[in-house]
Amino acid sequence: MAIRTLVTSLALSAGAALAGPGGLFRSPDVSATQVVFVYGDDLWLAPREGGTAQRLTSPVGAESFPRFSPDGNSVAFVGHYEGANDLYVLPTAGGTPVRVTHHPSRERLCGWTPKGELVFASDALSPSGRVQRLFRVSASGGLPEVYPMPYAASGALSADGRYLAYTPHSLDFASWKRYQGGMATDVWLFDLQENRARQVTTWEGNDTAPMWHGGVLYYLSDAGPVPRLNLWAYDPAKDAHTQLTTFSDYDVRSPSMGPGPEGQGEIVYQRGGRIELLDLATLKTRALELTIPGD
């Protein structure tokens, strides 16, 4: 076994490549042309159709939660570079990351607003590390502004900027599964014009990871007949919920909304160690075949 491990290590160091579902691709996002994801605590870019990935970052610290800018020319992410997790922005063409936030508390990037600001969750202004709030900040830096909800751990702003979909707290990274109880999450809508919130999911299990495309809200839920996290849609105009995927083997994890090649929208996510895409126009899914070049 030791000899086989040594031979494998030498093969990779000689320039071999990792292909197929290695179970290590995490936190994907998609633009009109590219996919970004985390592998080996670094960020990687690959064509939206799949293929050979290119390393975007390679510092000593770890990167997480990458999100494309609305124009697809930059990637924002959380970088653990100077003793804490802070937000950074880096052009997809490469270069030096620009540090956006400077608070010692932990931060988790949720995404971009249509105007190009960053939305993130943090316990920076909370009396307890268990309580998070949502903030927005310019991608070029500056003082973050807090959203009015007293509790919020994940969020997405609608295209018109009026509604902020959020969860009051998060279990997205807990090791629990099929949990139903007081800590189960629900999705809420906050009307930023009228300054009021309403709950839009009531499942006793987990509803989380809100995303917008057009006027429809998409999210994760294990409310289906098979207790697995799948993608759902909520139409606020009709007050109707629809299950979009029906996977029964692995949960859908870390979904993120992309524009789609023709603007019809698509959701990228990880499932069973692979990265997959859901086309919102056809509701068809496909797995990305990705290759990681060796060092």
Side-chain angles (χ1 to χ4, degrees):
M1 181 63 71
I3 294 177
R4 178 176 296 180
T5 302
L6 176 61
V7 170
T8 301
S9 177
L10 290 175
L12 286 175
S13 64
L18 290 174
L24 299 174
F25 303 145
R26 299 179 291 113
S27 301
D29 191 28
V30 63
S31 70
T33 59
Q34 293 179 299
V35 172
V36 63
F37 58 93
V38 177
Y39 173 82
D41 282 339
D42 286 330
L43 301 185
W44 295 75
L45 284 174
R48 180 188 155 276
E49 295 76 18
T52 301
Q54 178 182 3
R55 195 195 305 263
L56 182 62
T57 61
S58 58
V60 175
E63 295 86 28
S64 56
F65 305 113
R67 292 292 183 266
F68 282 109
S69 59
D71 61 9
N73 293 328
S74 299
V75 173
F77 60 94
V78 176
H80 190 80
Y81 293 158
E82 299 181 64
N85 289 330
D86 286 288
L87 304 187
Y88 293 81
V89 175
L90 177 66
T92 55
T96 302
V98 175
R99 185 172 178 176
V100 177
T101 58
H102 299 77
H103 199 280
S105 294
R106 59 182 179 177
E107 297 167 1
R108 180 167 65 89
L109 180 63
C110 298
W112 296 70
T113 70
K115 295 182 178 180
E117 296 175 305
L118 302 181
V119 177
F120 66 96
S122 176
D123 58 2
L125 299 181
S126 302
S128 169
R130 292 177 176 268
V131 177
Q132 293 183 311
R133 300 187 70 181
L134 286 179
F135 298 79
R136 65 179 179 272
V137 65
S138 169
S140 59
L143 185 65
E145 297 181 36
V146 64
Y147 281 105
M149 305 87 70
Y151 314 102
S154 62
L157 194 65
S158 61
D160 60 6
R162 176 171 181 174
Y163 296 101
L164 183 61
Y166 71 99
T167 61
H169 59 278
S170 175
L171 296 179
D172 291 353
F173 306 100
S175 58
W176 317 344
K177 287 189 176 183
R178 323 306 161 219
Y179 172 76
Q180 298 179 11
M183 281 292 290
T185 55
D186 279 301
V187 178
W188 290 63
L189 281 184
F190 192 91
D191 188 329
L192 293 169
Q193 289 185 10
E194 299 188 6
N195 207 40
R196 62 183 182 182
R198 66 184 180 95
Q199 185 175 339
V200 297
T201 64
T202 57
W203 164 238
E204 61 186 2
N206 290 291
D207 302 309
T208 186
M211 303 163 284
W212 288 97
H213 183 72
V216 179
L217 176 64
Y218 298 86
Y219 63 98
L220 280 183
S221 178
D222 53 11
V226 177
R228 297 291 185 273
L229 285 170
N230 275 283
L231 291 165
W232 289 63
Y234 172 69
D235 187 339
K238 300 178 180 178
D239 194 27
H241 299 262
T242 304
Q243 185 172 353
L244 303 181
T245 61
T246 56
F247 299 119
S248 59
D249 47 5
Y250 299 107
D251 291 296
V252 173
R253 295 287 189 183
S254 302
S256 185
M257 181 66 69
E262 299 179 1
Q264 81 279 6
E266 63 183 348
I267 299 175
V268 66
Y269 55 91
Q270 66 183 72
R271 188 176 71 89
R274 305 193 69 166
I275 293 178
E276 299 180 352
L277 288 164
L278 170 68
D279 187 317
L280 296 182
T282 64
L283 296 184
K284 293 182 179 180
T285 63
R286 67 180 178 93
L288 289 182
E289 296 298 332
L290 298 170
T291 300
I292 304 294
D295 291 334

